Amino acid sequence: MSGASAAGPAPGPSHDSQPPTGPLQALLAGGVPPPGADTDLVRVVDTPESRVRHPSDMLGMVSSALGIALVLVLSVVAHATTEGVTQDVQSFSSLLARILFVPVAVLEGLITLFVPAAVLVELGIRRLGRQVVESICAAALGLLLGVVAVVTISRFGSAELVRGLSVFTDGSWTLTVPGYVSAIAGLLTTAGPRTRRRTVRWSWNVLYLALFIVLITGQVSLPGILVALLLGRLAGQAVQYVSGVRSERAYGGDLVTAVRRAGFRPTALVRVRDVSEAVDAEDPDDAVPDDAVVSYDVAGDVVTPVAAGGGAASSAGPGRTARPDTTSSDPAAVALTRSGDNRVYALFTDDGRRRDAVVLDGDRQVMTTVQRLWRALRLRGLEGRAAISLKAAAERIALLSYAASAAGVRTPRLEGIGVADDSVVLVQEHARGAVSLRDLPDARLDGERGDAVLAEAWEQVRRAHAAGLTHHALTPDVVLVHDDTRGDPHVWLTGWEQGEIASSTLSRRLDLTQMLALLALRVGARRALASAVRALPDEDIAAIGPLLQTIALPSPTRTEVRQTKGLLDELREALVERLPQADVQPQNITRFGARTVLMVTLTIVAVAVIVTTMNFEEIAAAIAEANPWWVAGAFLLGAITWLGAALTFTAFSPERLPLWRATLTQMAGSFVALAAPAGIGPAALNLRMLTRRGVGTPMALATVALVQVSQFVVTVLLLVVLSMFSGPGGLIELPSTTVLLAISGVALAVVATLLVPAARRWAWEKARPTLEQVWPRLSQMLGQPGRLALGLGGNLVMTLGYVLAFDAALAAFGQSLNLIDVAVIYLVGNALGALVPTPGGLGGVEGALTAGLTAAGIPASIAFSVTMLYRVVTYWGRVPIGWVAMRYLERKGEL
């Protein structure tokens, strides 16, 4: 069979008769029968795992915990609904009582006594003593969790929560979370799947029937039953994950059976992981115990263990098993083990050929499926479907392997598939003599020979893309390099598990980005890009620029790129040198990121805290008592800030902007603030308006940055001026305590920054990008003093508008403070609150302003009312106006 598959005339790895020699022969200890010999005897060298921890148990624990939380929330929020469902079901109790032949008490007795006994007896008959102990432990843990839940909810739960989990009996409400249900559920969960244990299957059915009966007879509440069941499932899955479960993977005779079902007659199977790591015989810590590597002969259904090392490992010393180093002689198989989470075996058959047997285990597919779904959910342009079952995963790999071979991609040809137990064996040709890009010596990538390797890599990707295939996981271990008999290099692509058929344009561009980053790690950014330019059209090269992000790379490549500082920046610079018109600004290819998750979580928490702690009746009464004229004045003063921001925007804009349109943009920012952290929404709209009017992205970014920097500068200057000239005797009186604390804090921060080298470097690294971005535009504005003054004046109007609106809200409740104190409380409180990455600083601004007013001597109840009134007139009350402005600007094509 040609190793080049359908990739062209270049010969691939040789497939001559090759029984194992050297250290592998020593490890097999009995040798491999020559071609044509009796092959009923199979030598297997493996490290079987008798017990494994299933990731599905961990996922089940998380799901059960989330389910419990959801039930508890619904029992409070939808208390009326759940209580109504329970009452509706109870309306049938009298009819059902006449139909049932077995009293409820007898059925409950069967659940509490017969079910555990039947399940444990079956496990004992099957000689599963450890599982008997685990099931009892799970039942005890479930019972304990049920008792703890009852005690915790009764002592710390709200009245609504306790009522939602209670039933009305004997004239009073009784909290019901049946602990025996949690115990039985935990026992049945650990006893095994209902598909393989008859008593477990019938016990679950009887349990559900009993729970239905006690529910409709009013003995327990619906939320109480659900919580008890989920607690039991949580206990059972926790015991399973901690203790592990019996492995259902194919080992030994079952593994040999799977290989035979794939159409091969094996003579030897050697776990590649076991022969791929050299062990220093001089270091006792690196020695492998005798029971780590198991050798046994399989003849039919008879499995005969062989002494560790088969007697040929005596050179390793007592108590050791030789682990020969085959990395140098067979690096392709080692790369195959690193490229995925599957078992890999060196398969020797009766025809004398060496093949690779890749074993997919059902318990490993859970995390693979979750990772694929997560990546497809987070990244745009990836296929969202994932193979759920083991069979579906094997079929997907087979389909992609056949499609890649048919497309002319040089990849190991899939030759057979076999199934045994909870494993699927994929038998594929062995790329003998190939070396992964990770292990390839640097000398092989120098000069023209290295350029040929790079060209071959791009050629294989191009062939796959021409057939609509994408790889999605181009790592150093899936790119193999092999030299033919003439010394010409050929590249193989392996590991198609994450691939896609009929892929999108974005998926293919992600592949190109991954290959470019992969090659850049070995040969440098400029040489890698030069190879891409020779192999790809300019359109594809330009499309790579916006995708040069770590999120677009598979995990192994991403880790190496992060360790190689500045690699992506070098690639962007090299790309711009080649194609000056190319856009290298990062494209948003993620649907959400860590910041989005954090923002949403904090928003939910902030809303929950505000809603649960606010007394809306008191706030409504307080606002009703506020002076309406001051309320109107606060709203108008807040509206002036739109005009001030628009003046700054038009003054600093490189293009002439109508003041009215700029003001509408600031109004629209009030609506966008609902979904963006404080200050981010208006800046994004300003950037959008500039780019829509033809301003280049670099200039637009510099303008928006200049607007923000000028706002900061004006705020600081305003604090200084107010501290000098506000109040009677402002030049001779000491500032108030609030001002002194604020000034002291700022002074300490400045001193720490200047005196501590680490802090000084950190501050400079944070400020340098902004200063470098702003300086070109600022230098232009310095030559136009009129526009610079207008921009600073606009910032002054905006800042004073917010301060005076806050002062008016304070006056609406008959309170007053020195203007400098009001300014300090607002400016410092707003800055601190804005550090919380929630929309509009929700939660953080309210807390900071309320704390500031309270520290200044305003009663806490009035301080909170003032803060809420201020937020209503400057944030919530402006949202409808912002929505109207947003819709208008969208219709006019400004946004």
Side-chain angles (χ1 to χ4, degrees), residues 103-162:
V104 175
V106 175
L107 188 59
E108 291 180 354
L110 291 176
I111 292 295
T112 55
L113 299 177
F114 176 76
V115 165
V119 172
L120 295 178
V121 167
E122 181 184 3
L123 294 178
I125 293 175
R126 293 175 179 267
R127 298 182 179 180
L128 301 176
R130 178 166 178 168
Q131 202 162 356
V132 170
V133 176
E134 292 172 350
S135 300
I136 295 175
C137 292
L141 180 59
L143 180 62
L144 178 62
L145 291 178
V147 173
V148 171
V150 171
V151 173
T152 303
I153 294 173
S154 61
R155 289 192 177 184
F156 304 103
S158 62
E160 294 82 1
L161 178 60
V162 174

Side-chain angles (χ1 to χ4, degrees), residues 68 71 221-231:
I68 293 171
V71 171
S221 63
L222 178 60
I225 288 178
L226 296 177
V227 170
L229 282 174
L230 291 172
L231 285 173

Side-chain angles (χ1 to χ4, degrees), residues 7 66 117 132 236 866:
L66 293 177
V132 170
V866 170

Side-chain angles (χ1 to χ4, degrees), residues 744-754:
S744 300
V746 173
L748 289 175
V750 173
V751 170
T753 302
L754 295 178

Side-chain angles (χ1 to χ4, degrees), residues 265-291:
R265 300 183 64 188
T267 58
L269 279 165
V270 183
R271 183 77 171 268
V272 172
R273 183 185 65 183
D274 298 330
V275 297
S276 64
E277 300 175 1
V279 175
D280 184 4
E282 301 298 329
D283 188 356
D285 294 334
D286 288 337
V288 181
D290 288 336
D291 58 355

Side-chain angles (χ1 to χ4, degrees), residues 622 625-628 630-631 806-817 858-859 862 865-866 869:
E625 295 176 359
N627 189 318
W630 280 114
V631 173
F806 189 50
D807 190 52
L810 188 63
F813 291 92
Q815 302 292 321
S816 63
L817 289 174
I858 303 297
I862 296 179
S865 299
V866 170
L869 174 60

Side-chain angles (χ1 to χ4, degrees), residues 439-686:
D439 301 323
L440 194 67
D442 293 337
R444 294 276 298 275
L445 293 173
D446 293 338
E448 296 182 358
R449 191 179 181 187
D451 291 339
V453 172
L454 303 183
E456 269 287 298
W458 288 112
E459 174 62 18
Q460 299 308 309
V461 174
R462 188 196 63 78
R463 291 184 183 183
H465 289 181
L469 305 178
T470 50
H471 194 283
H472 287 328
L474 292 172
T475 66
D477 294 313
V478 303
V479 179
L480 306 182
V481 181
H482 168 259
D483 291 340
D484 60 18
T485 55
R486 296 173 298 181
D488 296 331
H490 298 284
V491 171
W492 293 57
L493 293 184
T494 65
W496 291 89
E497 290 86 350
Q498 302 295 327
E500 184 179 349
I501 293 177
S503 56
S504 64
T505 301
L506 179 57
S507 294
R508 293 192 290 272
R509 289 175 176 174
L510 286 172
D511 263 9
L512 299 178
T513 304
Q514 293 178 9
M515 179 58 77
L516 179 62
L518 185 61
L519 297 179
L521 287 169
R522 290 305 313 269
V523 300
R526 281 172 169 72
R527 189 178 173 195
L529 184 66
S531 69
V533 170
R534 291 191 297 268
L536 303 174
D538 288 348
E539 179 183 358
D540 289 343
I541 297 297
I544 293 176
L547 300 179
L548 287 172
Q549 311 171 45
T550 54
I551 188 61
L553 307 176
S555 180
T557 310
R558 188 186 313 137
T559 301
E560 292 190 45
V561 167
R562 286 173 176 170
Q563 293 174 352
T564 309
K565 301 294 185 181
L567 179 64
L568 295 183
D569 292 334
E570 292 180 16
L571 283 172
R572 295 188 187 99
E573 293 174 0
L575 196 152
V576 173
E577 291 176 2
R578 292 276 183 172
L579 299 174
Q581 73 279 8
D583 182 13
V584 295
Q585 290 298 323
Q587 175 184 345
N588 184 17
I589 59 175
T590 59
R591 293 185 176 92
F592 58 89
R595 184 181 180 87
T596 304
V597 174
L598 178 63
M599 187 179 71
V600 172
T601 303
L602 292 178
T603 300
I604 294 174
V605 171
V607 171
V609 170
I610 291 176
V611 171
T612 55
T613 57
M614 286 171 52
N615 189 323
F616 290 98
E617 294 181 357
E618 292 183 1
I619 293 175
I623 294 179
E625 295 176 359
N627 189 318
W629 293 107
W630 280 114
V631 173
F635 182 82
L636 293 176
L637 289 170
I640 291 176
T641 60
W642 288 329
L643 177 61
L647 288 173
T648 302
F649 186 36
T650 55
F652 292 158
S653 172
E655 296 288 334
R656 184 176 181 84
L657 298 179
L659 182 60
W660 171 242
R661 292 291 175 87
T663 304
L664 288 176
T665 303
Q666 310 312 310
M667 291 180 178
S670 300
F671 173 71
V672 178
L674 276 176
I680 301 299
L685 290 183
N686 291 343

